[in-house]
Structures are given as C-alpha cells and as structure tokens.
Amino acid sequence: MPIDPTLAYDDDNIFAKILRGEIPSTRVYEDEWAYAFEDINPQAEVHTLVIPKGRYVSWDDFSARAEAKEIAGFVRAVGKVARDKGLVETGYRMMANIGAHGGQEVAHLHVHLFGGEPLGPMIARR
C-alpha cells in the first residue's frame, strides 16, 4: 500500500529492521552512509535496493534534511553498487518512488537499481 511521504519516520519499517539486523537480507554493499541488498521480489535480472543509514522517509525528506556529506556518501554508494554489479556498460534504471502517486510502499528512502536485461519503456501507457 503506497505511503504518505509527509509522515514521520517509523523506526519499525522493514528497512529500519534490516539495518538493525532484525530481518535478514543479502548484502551487496555497506559503508557508513548506505546499505545495499538484493530485492526479495526482483523485477529484473538485477534488482538491488540501496538505502541510506539515516532516518529519511523519502527522497524529498532526504534532500531537505540530510547533511551534504550524507547526500554525497549515499549518491556515491548508489554509483558504486551500479558499477560493482556491472550495470554501467549496458545501462540500467535507477528509481526512487515518492509518496502515494509515486507508488512508495516503504517509508524509508530507497533507490531501486534495475538492469541485466532490456527494461522497456519507463512508464506503461494506459
């Protein structure tokens, strides 16, 4: 169910629990700013999630409240994961859903990296 991005951060969201080690995940990258892991319901050959370690509901929340070093660290982590996965050479899609209309389902900022195959149009036409 899509979420309201103006909600306060919920420390019991699934990604917060993953960061605390309460829910298992397949880690592919971690540093002081970000944690990346494989999606449990992949929508492409490669489908990796990258989340900041800070308490941010959405991209909007992150861009408004995060310190410059957090933003730089997170963006660099996303790029490193894409390079480490070999996605740069053939291309990939990076997506962050924000709010109900954007289809955001977890109230913790997360970036999806999709690749490993042709992905088709960005948004299916109605």
Side-chain angles (χ1 to χ4, degrees):
M1 167 178 246
I3 61 103
D4 177 351
T6 64
L7 295 174
Y9 186 83
D10 176 7
D11 285 313
D12 285 327
N13 75 70
I14 191 168
F15 295 157
K17 290 179 179 182
I18 287 171
L19 284 171
R20 290 192 303 265
E22 296 170 9
I23 294 176
S25 63
T26 304
R27 180 177 65 89
V28 297
Y29 178 80
E30 183 173 14
D31 66 16
E32 74 178 289
W33 308 113
Y35 182 79
F37 56 99
E38 301 300 351
D39 193 287
I40 62 168
N41 185 27
Q43 303 299 303
E45 185 176 317
V46 174
H47 185 174
T48 302
L49 296 170
V50 186
I51 61 176
K53 288 191 171 177
R55 300 171 73 245
Y56 300 101
V57 173
S58 65
W59 191 266
D60 182 67
D61 182 30
F62 182 68
S63 66
R65 294 190 314 107
E67 294 182 20
K69 63 185 178 182
E70 289 179 279
I71 294 169
F74 182 68
V75 170
R76 286 188 176 111
V78 171
K80 176 159 181 36
V81 172
R83 288 187 300 278
D84 289 353
K85 291 289 213 170
L87 299 176
V88 175
E89 293 77 17
T90 58
Y92 63 100
R93 182 168 297 151
M94 182 175 81
M95 182 174 74
N97 300 321
I98 296 98
H101 282 194
Q104 184 178 3
E105 294 179 356
V106 178
H108 184 112
L109 170 61
H110 54 287
V111 171
H112 297 260
L113 293 176
F114 301 102
E117 64 183 289
L119 298 172
M122 197 162 57
I123 297 175
R125 296 288 177 197
R126 295 185 263 181

